[in-house]
Amino acid sequence: MPRYRAVGLAVAASAAALALSGCSVVAAFTPHVDAQIFDSAKEFKAADTAVFGSPKFVPDDATIIRVDYDTQTGAAIMTYTSPTLLAKDVCNEQTTAPKAAIQDSWWPIDGVPKTATKCPGGWSAFAIGQQVYAALPAKSK
């Protein structure tokens, strides 16, 4: 009988080790993207947004601000609604519309303009109607 117990313990230990190693394998392939939603620009500006570059181009009348950011690469995407679109005198140069390094269901697939506005911190922003979309590329290593 002791031999059966030893075999049973060995099988149980092997299964536990396999399960734990499987978790670490899954974690290696899981995206490291966090998301935040803010109801207003006031709430957004009061929050700790330094992890994704504290975008100064978000105007005071912005609502429903959504941000997804990759905690490993620094890439981020953002959207918000605003009749003002961008804060005054913050973004001035034109650039090519960004290709988002992160995807979410709210990021547009069609209708993206060819150009965007270059903003501080590496952000590029464009508007579709009163909806503003902005992307921050991954930090180069």
Side-chain angles (χ1 to χ4, degrees):
M1 289 281 206
R3 185 177 272 172
Y4 292 116
R5 284 187 187 161
V7 170
L9 287 173
V11 168
S14 297
L18 183 60
L20 290 175
S21 67
C23 290
S24 60
V25 169
V26 169
F29 293 103
T30 302
H32 297 88
V33 176
D34 288 340
Q36 294 185 22
I37 300 174
F38 306 92
D39 289 331
S40 66
K42 182 178 180 181
E43 181 184 338
F44 175 74
K45 291 176 181 182
D48 181 15
T49 57
V51 69
F52 50 82
S54 298
K56 297 176 183 174
F57 57 88
V58 177
D60 291 338
D61 63 358
T63 57
I64 314 300
I65 303 161
R66 299 177 66 118
V67 182
D68 290 1
Y69 57 95
D70 188 315
T71 59
Q72 290 185 337
T73 68
I77 56 173
M78 176 190 318
T79 189
Y80 59 87
T81 303
S82 168
T84 306
L85 301 181
L86 298 170
K88 188 177 179 183
D89 298 327
V90 176
C91 308
N92 297 315
E93 295 180 41
Q94 292 296 306
T95 187
T96 305
K99 294 193 187 242
I102 300 172
Q103 289 297 313
D104 201 335
S105 60
W106 50 262
W107 187 262
I109 297 171
D110 297 323
V112 175
K114 293 183 180 191
T115 60
T117 304
K118 190 174 182 179
C119 297
W123 288 89
S124 297
F126 61 90
I128 300 174
Q130 291 187 344
Q131 193 70 30
V132 176
Y133 298 92
L136 180 66
K139 294 177 179 140
S140 55
K141 295 179 180 182

